[in-house]
């Protein structure tokens, strides 16, 4: 088995790396061949027994997939019962029946999802991501050498459950020290211990959640964390402007690479050296669709996406619905990649809808982040929309900074933000200082912007910036 996995990983790594600069037609050719093979494999399931074309595949979401679990796995294996029992007993990253990787979603959106992928397919998926992460770092000759030197990587992630990040961190060492020396560090460890572990074996590649990278970057700026990674990769959470700036300052020699993945597909997109996310079209088909699952044009924002995982031959995922809003760019990126660019919103942060007395304004997370960007002494913040137009802002203060001064600055910035949007008389907020921000119990993701207020219905929604242009005269 593991030899097959190593072979799949190595060959896909080199081939996918070569495709970084290949003509688009070659990528599309491969995509279509992989799709044809996937459909053939999918006919081995009860759900897709008679399926011939992707467009005839019914749209699947997590609830449907979980309800009909046994129908969606090839040859009916592993069964739902078998997979759930395995999750209860096995360590994350272990193989079920010597051939299947099993992962679960965090359950942030309702029911927990359980996903199965064949080990070679999983190896190819992650190889594709690595090939994109290493793009621009090495020439092809150097890249071949990479396979022969032990490249040290550290994953600082939640290791408790069978989440995709835990499996990614823990599965790699079992692929063998041939490809890399991979360390998995738990974000539940106290910070001084994490710093000491990283210092003891400095990684060339450091992977974590964006907010954790931010914390580690501050440790580096204070001189406690002494590593010089070549590559820093961020996943699972949006990479905020603030995180980008701090990580850049702390690790000036490193390329900071953002990734977009899901439990259902580990490598949907990877950022290019210019910082644009590109779809991994050789491993996935991503359809941007509206609320009725109809395709939206390139350059328009979708309501959600339909993902077809081209490399999972155990539980074929065809036109699987994810709630991410994306915008796919049809024109080529100046970086020269044959893969299309994609922008994503709403990955973990919520959109906040604020009532300005005439209707609801839509506030995306990024403007809030920018409003609080560069407040001296502010380490992290979390904003919760608790009741309609009432917000709570939790702030974490940098060591040695004055909490009262920082809170005043945050207050000033937010007041200005709401005044700019004509919301001053309508919106109230409280600021509280806290030692740490709480993470989601299972996923350990930190949500910077959370809304507990239901999304308003009707046609009264206006993007905040647009509303501001049309009604400039309302600030106090
Ligand atoms: Zn690019």
């Amino acid at each position: 088995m593991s030899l097959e996995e190593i072979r799949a990983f190595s060959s896909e790594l080199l081939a996918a790396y070569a495709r970084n600069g290949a003509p688009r037609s070659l990528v599309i050719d491969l995509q279509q061949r992989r799709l044809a093979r996937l459909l053939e494999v999918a006919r081995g399931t009860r759900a897709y027994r008679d399926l011939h074309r992707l467009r005839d595949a019914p749209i699947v979401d997590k609830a449907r997939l979980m309800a009909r679990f046994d129908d969606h796995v090839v040859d009916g294996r592993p069964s739902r019962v078998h997979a759930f029992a395995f999750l209860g007993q096995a360590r994350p990253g272990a193989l079920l029946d010597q051939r299947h990787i099993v992962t679960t979603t965090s359950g942030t959106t309702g029911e927990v999802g359980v996903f199965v992928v064949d080990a070679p397919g999983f190896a190819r998926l992650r190889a594709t991501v690595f090939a994109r992460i290493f793009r621009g770092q090495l020439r092809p000759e150097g890249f071949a050498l990479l396979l022969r030197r032990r490249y040290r990587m550290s994953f600082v992630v939640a290791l408790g459950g069978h989440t995709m990040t835990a499996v990614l961190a823990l599965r790699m060492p079992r692929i063998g020290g041939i490809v890399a020396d991979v360390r998995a560090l738990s974000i539940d460890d106290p910070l001084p211990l994490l710093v000491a572990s990283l210092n003891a074996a400095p990684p060339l590649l450091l992977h974590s959640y964006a907010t954790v990278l931010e914390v580690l970057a501050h440790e580096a700026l204070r001189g406690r964390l002494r590593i010089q990674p070549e590559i820093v990769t961020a996943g699972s959470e949006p990479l905020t402007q603030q995180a980008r700036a701090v990580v850049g300052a702390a690790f000036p020699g490193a390329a900071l690479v953002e990734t977009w993945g899901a439990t259902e597909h580990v490598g949907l997109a990877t950022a290019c050296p210019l910082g644009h996310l590109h779809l991994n079209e050789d491993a996935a088909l991503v359809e941007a669709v509206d609320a009725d699952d109809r395709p939206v044009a390139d350059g328009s924002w979708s309501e959600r996406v339909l993902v077809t995982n081209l490399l999972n031959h155990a539980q074929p995922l065809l036109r699987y619905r994810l709630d991410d809003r994306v915008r796919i760019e049809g024109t080529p990126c100046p970086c020269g990649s044959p893969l299309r660019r994609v922008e994503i919103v709403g990955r973990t942060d919520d959109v906040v809808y604020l009532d300005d007395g005439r209707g609801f304004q839509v506030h995306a997370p990024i403007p809030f982040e920018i409003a609080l960007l560069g407040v001296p002494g502010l380490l992290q913040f979390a904003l919760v929309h608790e009741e309609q137009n009432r917000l709570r802002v939790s702030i974490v203060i940098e060591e040695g900074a004055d909490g009262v001064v920082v809170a005043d600055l945050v207050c000033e910035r937010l007041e200005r933000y709401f005044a700019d949007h004509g919301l001053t008389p309508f919106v109230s907020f409280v600021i509280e200082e806290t030692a740490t921000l709480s993470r989601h119990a299972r996923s350990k993701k930190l949500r910077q912007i959370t809304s507990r207020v239901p999304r308003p219905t009707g046609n009264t929604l206006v993007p905040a910036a647009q509303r501001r242009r049309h009604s400039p005269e309302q600030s106090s």
Side-chain angles (χ1 to χ4, degrees), residues 270-299:
T270 317
C272 70
L274 300 179
H276 302 296
L277 282 166
H278 286 263
L279 291 168
N280 291 316
E281 294 174 281
D282 42 1
L285 264 172
V286 176
E287 302 171 64
V289 295
D290 65 15
D292 298 315
D293 296 318
R294 290 172 308 204
V296 302
D298 281 356

Side-chain angles (χ1 to χ4, degrees), residues 135 272 274 276 278 333 335 337 341:
R135 181 178 167 220
C272 70
L274 300 179
H276 302 296
H278 286 263
C333 180
C335 75
S337 169
R341 270 175 293 172

Side-chain angles (χ1 to χ4, degrees), residues 57 63 68-69 75 104 169 177 196 258 277 292 323 390 396 401 408 415 430 436:
R68 299 183 55 198
F69 189 94
D75 298 330
T104 63
E258 189 179 6
L277 282 166
D292 298 315
D323 283 333
R390 294 177 58 140
V396 180
D408 282 346
E415 276 173 353
V430 291
T436 50

Side-chain angles (χ1 to χ4, degrees), residues 120-332:
F122 183 78
R124 283 189 194 96
L125 284 164
R126 85 178 300 158
T128 307
V129 179
F130 273 105
R132 302 289 130 79
I133 286 171
F134 281 106
R135 181 178 167 220
Q137 302 301 310
L138 295 163
R139 287 170 304 166
E141 315 87 79
F143 196 70
L145 278 175
L146 178 74
L147 290 175
R148 270 174 261 146
R149 79 170 156 144
R150 283 160 62 80
Y151 199 87
R152 186 178 292 143
M153 313 183 194
S154 292
F155 288 72
V156 183
V157 295
L159 295 174
H162 294 259
T163 60
M164 181 54 89
T165 38
V167 172
L168 283 168
L170 294 167
R171 181 76 202 146
M172 191 71 162
R174 276 170 240 180
I175 294 183
I178 295 172
V179 180
D181 167 11
V182 179
R183 318 260 163 137
L185 306 174
S186 168
I187 63 161
D188 289 330
D189 285 346
L191 188 58
L193 179 62
L194 275 180
V195 169
S197 306
L198 288 166
N199 284 338
L204 292 172
L205 185 151
L206 172 68
H207 175 87
S208 193
Y209 313 117
T211 48
V212 174
L213 289 175
E214 213 180 310
V215 171
L216 292 174
H218 280 286
E219 288 299 293
L221 290 173
R222 289 195 196 102
R224 290 194 283 248
L225 177 62
R226 294 176 296 275
I227 60 173
Q228 278 102 37
E230 293 177 352
I231 300 173
V232 175
T233 58
S236 306
E237 290 175 333
L239 190 58
T240 62
Q241 299 297 321
Q242 179 160 330
R244 224 178 252 283
V246 176
V247 172
F251 309 115
L256 177 57
V257 184
E258 189 179 6
T259 59
W260 174 42
T263 313
E264 294 84 346
H265 193 300
V266 58
L268 286 168
T270 317
C272 70
L274 300 179
H276 302 296
L277 282 166
H278 286 263
L279 291 168
N280 291 316
E281 294 174 281
D282 42 1
L285 264 172
V286 176
E287 302 171 64
V289 295
D290 65 15
D292 298 315
D293 296 318
R294 290 172 308 204
V296 302
D298 281 356
S300 310
W301 283 101
S302 76
E303 273 300 312
R304 45 173 82 126
V305 291
L306 305 179
V307 171
T308 297
N309 185 331
L310 296 173
L311 296 173
N312 182 348
H313 287 179
Q315 181 189 44
L317 295 176
L318 310 178
R319 311 195 80 202
Y320 181 93
R321 186 187 280 149
L322 284 180
D323 283 333
D324 294 281
R325 290 192 68 204
V326 307
R327 179 160 71 182
I328 295 175
E329 194 57 67
T331 56

Side-chain angles (χ1 to χ4, degrees), residues 413-425 468 471-476:
R413 296 279 190 100
L414 287 174
E415 276 173 353
R416 197 185 315 152
Y417 180 84
F418 293 127
D420 283 348
H421 291 87
L423 286 162
T424 302
R468 179 159 47 149
S471 56
E473 308 301 345
Q474 214 184 334
S475 51
S476 55

Side-chain angles (χ1 to χ4, degrees), residues 433-444:
E433 194 186 334
T434 173
T436 50
L437 297 176
S438 61
R439 289 172 179 276
H440 184 269
R442 264 206 218 92
S443 73
K444 304 287 176 169

